[in-house]
Amino acid sequence: MVGQRVVVRRLLRGVAGPSGGPAFTDLLGTCVAWEADHCLIRPDRAPADDAPVRIELGDLVSGKPVPPRTPPRLRVGVREAELRTASLWPDLERVPLGEWQLRHEPRPVGRARKRANSCLAIGDPGRSVHDALEAVIAFYTARGRDPLLHVEAGSDVESAVLTAGWRRLPHGEAQLRLAGIAQVRRALGRRRADVELEVRDTLASASIGTGCDPTAEAQARLDGDWLGLFGLTVDPGHRRRGLGGDVVAELLDWGTQQGALTAWLHVETDNPTGLAFWDSLGLTPHHVVRYYAPPEAASSGFSSGR
């Protein structure tokens, strides 16, 4: 039991219950000690510096292990988490469609990105799915873009979109991952000091090496106390030397100085190297998103990346 999250029922000595008999109470927390005559339980909601609750074993009525408590940042909704991703494109046109959001990048740098030019179809569109899909097609057609949906994998919306005949794109499926910045920074440990950091308002770029083709680089965008990481690349000839961790650590240090608490990113599910790297830093998968297009639409106008 020690180290496990438990729920226990205990007798309240000297207190009468509603019927006049003994009174009992339940306690949910982590068992931190089990001795010959008592146990110590640290309640879930207790401040970290509070002493655990001591319970005499003779007062225990029942108890059982329960699943670990979900970290607060992982309890954020899928829609709320995905709406944060728009911070990567500050000039994005965003039009509500009920709880859905039509997203359009008027002046993309390079090829148009799917995430910035797709409808975030999570939640209730405020009308029938058929009518919502017609509105999506009209919106993107008017702007010269291929209609595209960004949906949560396994959701009711995905089922409805499939029923409507929309087709899943073979590329672009991605996990959104979250972690506390302090946790990730501890996992990275001490890093090298020759990382160059360039900051423009809420955007930071970290790189190693000089010139137009750095050895390693990554970027981060600040949105309140959330920090989005993206664009991590390491020259193939310099991989497995910890350079990716070095530039990420620099960005996390900058984010911490700006008050950021949570790091997030998208990583495509067909990228085993990227998945393993973020696993090693403790960034936890929150949900998976996929892209859908109408049966007759072509996807050649979009970048295969995010």
Side-chain angles (χ1 to χ4, degrees):
M1 296 285 284
V2 176
Q4 294 191 59
R5 188 168 181 246
V6 297
V7 59
V8 297
R9 173 159 291 188
R10 57 175 172 142
L11 173 70
L12 292 177
R13 293 189 176 274
V15 180
S19 63
F24 304 94
T25 188
D26 295 332
L27 180 63
L28 179 64
T30 301
C31 180
V32 296
W34 191 281
E35 306 297 342
D37 58 349
H38 72 277
C39 65
L40 299 178
I41 307 292
R42 186 178 302 282
D44 272 358
R45 299 185 181 277
D49 55 353
D50 273 14
V53 176
R54 177 185 173 115
I55 303 175
E56 303 301 321
L57 297 188
D59 293 339
L60 278 178
V61 177
S62 63
K64 63 179 181 180
V66 295
R69 189 182 186 194
T70 304
R73 60 184 50 88
L74 292 183
R75 295 200 291 269
V76 67
V78 172
R79 181 173 178 273
E80 179 184 348
E82 284 294 331
L83 286 173
R84 294 276 187 171
T85 68
S87 64
L88 301 188
W89 297 276
D91 298 327
L92 208 61
E93 177 188 10
R94 295 188 281 176
V95 178
L97 181 64
E99 291 183 336
W100 292 13
Q101 188 178 85
L102 298 155
R103 305 174 296 190
H104 170 241
E105 187 180 17
R107 293 173 294 278
V109 178
R111 298 185 66 185
R113 299 287 184 174
K114 296 191 298 297
R115 201 188 322 160
N117 293 278
S118 60
C119 175
L120 181 62
I122 296 176
D124 182 1
R127 62 191 75 186
S128 70
V129 171
H130 175 272
D131 290 347
L133 295 178
E134 290 296 317
V136 171
I137 293 173
F139 178 87
Y140 289 105
T141 300
R143 288 158 177 79
R145 295 273 193 261
D146 291 338
L148 200 60
L149 293 176
H150 200 196
V151 306
E152 178 190 3
S155 64
D156 291 341
V157 170
E158 183 179 44
S159 297
V161 167
L162 282 167
T163 300
W166 284 49
R167 60 184 179 83
R168 176 181 163 186
L169 298 192
H171 48 267
E173 179 182 277
Q175 296 175 349
L176 187 142
R177 291 187 170 222
L178 297 172
I181 288 181
Q183 168 194 341
V184 181
R185 193 61 189 85
R186 284 195 298 271
L188 285 164
R190 296 185 63 181
R191 313 304 297 189
R192 59 194 291 166
D194 60 342
V195 181
E196 295 291 331
L197 182 69
E198 179 183 350
V199 178
R200 289 178 293 169
D201 194 19
T202 59
L203 176 67
S205 302
S207 61
I208 298 173
T210 58
C212 299
D213 192 17
T215 305
E217 62 181 338
Q219 294 180 292
R221 176 75 74 173
L222 185 68
D223 179 21
D225 63 357
W226 284 50
L227 187 72
L229 301 170
F230 64 101
L232 174 62
T233 58
V234 179
D235 182 271
H238 294 81
R239 290 177 180 170
R240 300 187 183 279
R241 301 181 186 180
L243 301 185
D246 291 334
V247 292
V248 169
E250 186 72 17
L251 293 171
L252 294 177
D253 288 347
W254 170 77
T256 300
Q257 294 168 12
Q258 312 309 309
L261 300 174
T262 299
W264 70 266
L265 58 93
H266 275 120
V267 56
E268 295 193 0
T269 57
D270 62 356
N271 178 5
T273 301
L275 294 171
F277 175 72
W278 298 116
D279 275 339
S280 70
L281 301 187
L283 281 121
T284 304
H286 184 272
H287 62 270
V288 174
V289 285
R290 297 169 176 157
Y291 291 100
Y292 280 82
E296 69 282 1
S299 61
S300 58
F302 292 100
S303 165
S304 61
R306 67 177 197 274

